[in-house]
Amino acid sequence: MSVGYEIPQSSGYDVPEPRGHYSITIMHGVIPADNPRVDSLCAVVQLKNTLVLAYMTYGNTLKSPYRDVIHAHFKDHVKDEMDAIYSLSMKIVVLGGTPPGSTQGVVPVCCLNDMLKSLADLEDKTKQALELAIKVNDCDTALRVDLENMLMVDG
């Protein structure tokens, strides 16, 4: 059974009744599943999923005299990324989309320098995706502020 949600303009966020379709009505418009706003958020989530996998993989395979310190930093960063992924995933669901469960793959590396370069590249891609998501979601002040905060933390 498919469910649609209608959020009446006058009453804020009421609990909707099932309507038998997949779109969501927010204020005056219908948000389809192939929405640029949802797509931009999905791109960020996919990159953040990739970052989590990279931090975990690199942290577990790290060979360095500073392994314990770097591994602890990576674990802390994974927690921050997971919190951001959860927050964005909930917004994607509210907008009628399905959060991606995939990653872009982690580049295999053998030394700390290559690991840090790979992570920096992924962070740059994520920053670019966040900047695009901010532009695409400019009409939603609360979402834009959340994305800007993520950009400040990741930047």
Side-chain angles (χ1 to χ4, degrees):
M1 178 177 152
S2 60
V3 178
Y5 299 97
E6 182 172 331
I7 302 174
Q9 182 178 4
S10 62
S11 61
Y13 297 99
D14 293 347
V15 177
E17 293 295 319
R19 296 272 181 134
H21 56 81
Y22 285 104
S23 61
I24 287 184
T25 304
I26 294 185
M27 298 302 178
H28 298 287
V30 173
I31 298 180
D34 58 344
N35 176 319
R37 293 178 64 198
V38 171
D39 292 343
S40 68
L41 297 176
C42 284
V44 174
V45 168
Q46 185 180 37
L47 285 165
K48 286 191 170 287
N49 283 337
T50 304
L51 270 170
V52 166
L53 183 60
Y55 277 113
M56 289 171 40
T57 301
Y58 295 160
N60 292 336
T61 60
L62 191 59
K63 297 174 186 170
S64 167
Y66 308 106
R67 182 188 192 287
D68 293 338
V69 174
I70 295 170
H71 187 268
H73 171 73
F74 284 3
K75 278 178 57 176
D76 290 342
H77 203 70
V78 164
K79 183 188 177 314
D80 294 341
E81 294 295 349
M82 292 299 295
D83 290 344
I85 289 168
Y86 178 78
S87 174
L88 288 173
S89 294
M90 292 299 100
K91 288 166 179 52
I92 290 168
V93 169
V94 166
L95 290 172
T98 302
S102 62
T103 67
Q104 293 188 357
V106 177
V107 178
V109 295
C110 59
C111 67
L112 179 59
N113 191 36
D114 291 342
M115 286 179 191
L116 296 177
K117 283 181 185 177
S118 179
L119 289 169
D121 288 343
L122 278 170
E123 291 281 2
D124 285 343
K125 287 180 185 177
T126 305
K127 181 180 174 185
Q128 291 170 1
L130 278 166
E131 288 170 347
L132 177 63
I134 289 168
K135 289 177 187 172
V136 171
N137 292 285
D138 191 50
C139 60
D140 185 339
T141 304
L143 178 55
R144 188 187 74 240
V145 168
D146 283 346
L147 292 168
E148 288 171 349
N149 286 340
M150 284 179 205
L151 185 62
M152 287 176 45
V153 169
D154 288 348

